[in-house]
Every structure is written in C-alpha cells, then in structure tokens.
Amino acid sequence: QCYFTIPGPKFDPFDLDDNCGIATVTYEITGGSYATPLTGSNTLAGLQIPPHDDDYSVVWTVTDVNGLSVVSTPLTINVSDNQAPTFTCYGNQLRSAESGVCEYTISGSELDPTSLSDNCDDVGDLTLEYTIDGTPGGGSTLDGTTLPGGTYTIVWTTTDTKGNSANCTYNLTI
C-alpha cells in the first residue's frame, strides 16, 4: 500500500489527568501531503498517512471540562516510500536463428518484463532499463535487438520515482 498505518496508540498522549476532568483530546496534522490540516480526536491508531518528501507535524490539544487547554510540543512523523516496484521477468531463454542465419532479431516484447507495478507510482512513472552482458541497452525494450549466436546475460531493472529499484537476471542463448 502507499501509506503508513499508525499502529495502535504509539503516537497518542498517555497518562492524561486533570483535577476537574478531561473534556477533549484532539490532534491536528499539518505538512506532508495535507494542503489543509487533518484533524481528529482521541487516537491516531489506524490512521493511514501517505508518503511525502516533507515531514508531518502532529500537535495534540488536551482541554479540560472548564475549557482550559494544553498544547503539546509538535511530534514529527516522516513517511517515505521504501518499497521497490515489482515485475514479472522471464527465466533463461533459448532462441534459434533462422536457417542459414547466424543471428537472432528480437521481435516485439517477447523478452521484455511484464506486469510492472508499484505501491505508489503509476506504471508510466516507472523507468525500465536493461543491460546485455553489462552493456546498457538503448531504451526500455529489447525489440529490434539483433544478437549473434552465443549466450548473453540480460539484466532488467525497474525504478520508481523515489529511487527504489528491483532487477532480474536471466541468460538468453541464441
């Protein structure tokens, strides 16, 4: 998922006491992806906060039955995307050159990864790159690549907008 779920009362105020009684316990979250403050009461437990480059600031206000309040020091929460994208990659592959030809031209997406996805980014925002025997390829597909007979190590890497990446390696034998 593309959010952090606050586990239980971890960030809630505790051991609250007042000689006349507590009327309300409220929070205000600012910063991060919230253009307007997010407010609520009693607990942050279960709240889902999306990742953002900027920190979130949580301020608690405790008010007693007589309207007297105390405001907490801001609590800073940083939520970041640290999950790599995923994709389906092929295992080792064998391709045969046509009769009388000593090379094979890859056609379409026959050897490209499939099912690209990421917890936060759209598929169109992911980068997809490959190397053949350690040499970077040109683009995000093997389509049109011509290889002479032999065995090649293909490494695919997909990267999301936060720099998280995943890769796979397989051998292609022509």
Side-chain angles (χ1 to χ4, degrees), residues 31-34 49-56 77-81 162:
S33 64
Y34 298 129
I49 301 177
H52 201 273
D53 292 335
D54 298 326
D55 291 339
Y56 292 91
I77 299 175
N78 179 282
V79 180
S80 61
D81 173 14
K162 297 299 180 193

Side-chain angles (χ1 to χ4, degrees), residues 3-169:
Y3 53 80
F4 170 70
T5 302
I6 296 180
K10 183 175 185 172
F11 300 116
D12 296 350
F14 57 93
D15 292 337
L16 300 176
D17 191 23
D18 185 82
N19 61 331
C20 294
I22 295 173
T24 61
V25 178
T26 61
Y27 62 82
E28 179 178 273
I29 302 175
T30 56
S33 64
Y34 298 129
T36 58
L38 176 67
T39 59
S41 60
N42 299 324
T43 185
L44 294 176
L47 187 65
Q48 297 172 344
I49 301 177
H52 201 273
D53 292 335
D54 298 326
D55 291 339
Y56 292 91
S57 178
V58 181
V59 175
W60 286 95
T61 302
V62 179
T63 306
D64 71 9
V65 295
N66 294 309
L68 300 172
S69 298
V70 63
V71 177
S72 73
T73 301
L75 167 71
T76 300
I77 299 175
N78 179 282
V79 180
S80 61
D81 173 14
N82 62 0
Q83 296 179 44
T86 61
F87 59 101
T88 302
C89 196
Y90 297 94
N92 293 337
Q93 297 289 306
L94 174 63
R95 295 293 190 267
S96 297
E98 292 183 27
S99 180
V101 179
C102 290
E103 57 189 27
Y104 180 81
T105 300
I106 299 168
S107 177
S109 60
E110 68 176 299
L111 296 173
D112 295 349
T114 60
S115 304
L116 275 76
S117 67
D118 187 66
N119 64 317
C120 290
D121 293 320
D122 293 329
V123 172
D125 293 331
L126 302 176
T127 59
L128 183 62
E129 302 170 309
Y130 68 90
T131 63
I132 300 175
D133 288 341
T135 302
S140 60
T141 179
L142 286 169
D143 181 36
T145 301
T146 300
L147 298 169
T151 299
Y152 302 90
T153 300
I154 310 294
V155 178
W156 283 100
T157 302
T158 184
T159 307
D160 68 15
T161 59
K162 297 299 180 193
N164 303 307
S165 64
N167 52 14
C168 78
T169 303

